Amino acid sequence: MTATLDIRPCVDADRDAVVALWSACGLVVPWNDPAADFVLALSKDNSAVLAGVLDGRVVASVMVGQDGHRGWIYYLAVDPTHQGRGFGRRMVAEAESWLAAAGMPKVQLLVRNTNERVLAFYERLGYAKPPTMLMQKWLTNPSP
Ligand SMILES: CC(C)(COP(=O)(O)OP(=O)(O)OC[C@H]1O[C@@H](n2cnc3c(N)ncnc32)[C@H](O)[C@@H]1OP(=O)(O)O)[C@@H](O)C(=O)NCCC(=O)NCCS
């Protein structure tokens, strides 16, 4: 029952609804500013936020970005009251289409180690753990 979910690129006016959705889905952490992440994604040609809209309300989102080599998915979220209806699968498919259209041969994403239960969802959609390890370093002071 996913036919009525309309998926479209976000505009500036979607910011508060999308940030509220991310909060409701447990995706907001103290060291990231979700509103700034949203604004930054809309300000660049190589990234976007897609919204899943149902009856005029944003109930799903996914952020996409590409670095010239790989595509990335961030902030995949389905409103808890609408989970289990295929909307997550559809949002990922739209994200993959966006990245494929941008010429990206591969898509990847990070899963927090506090959110391991989502791994089964991604595996269902054909994702697998790569034989690599991530290293990182802050170039700015994480806030707060
Ligand atoms: C992860 C999330 C986006 C899934 O959205 P959803 O709309 O509930 O997922 P769907 O209904 O599209 O499920 C797609 C498939 O995955 C399966 N699936 C969904 N959640 C699953 C889980 N926790 N374990 C195993 N399978 C799962 C479904 O059974 C379905 O299988 P099918 O299409 O083959 O029948 C949603 O649970 C969510 O927003 N979670 C909180 C935010 C989050 O963790 N985001 C990811 C950050 S990395």
Side-chain angles (χ1 to χ4, degrees), residues 59-136:
V59 299
S61 79
V62 64
M63 183 186 289
V64 285
Q66 56 95 357
D67 59 20
H69 297 277
R70 298 181 179 86
W72 288 89
I73 286 178
Y74 313 83
Y75 284 113
L76 174 68
V78 174
D79 182 310
T81 63
H82 292 286
Q83 290 178 7
R85 299 175 62 183
F87 293 167
R89 181 185 277 279
R90 281 203 55 204
M91 296 307 293
V92 171
E94 287 291 325
E96 291 171 356
S97 295
W98 191 98
L99 292 166
M104 294 301 104
K106 189 195 286 184
V107 56
Q108 50 194 37
L109 56 96
L110 301 176
V111 174
R112 294 194 183 109
N113 58 13
T114 51
N115 192 22
E116 288 199 7
R117 67 194 181 97
V118 80
L119 293 176
F121 163 80
Y122 284 118
E123 283 166 0
R124 190 91 179 130
L125 270 57
Y127 287 69
K129 286 184 188 170
T132 51
M133 285 192 289
L134 177 77
M135 296 182 74
Q136 61 177 209

Side-chain angles (χ1 to χ4, degrees), residues 1 4 24 26 28 45 47-48 53 56 58-59 65 68 74 80 82 84-85 101 110 133 135 137 139-140 144:
M1 199 172 97
T4 55
V28 175
D45 290 338
S47 59
V53 181
V58 176
V59 299
Y74 313 83
H82 292 286
R85 299 175 62 183
L110 301 176
M133 285 192 289
M135 296 182 74
K137 175 185 174 184
L139 299 179
T140 58

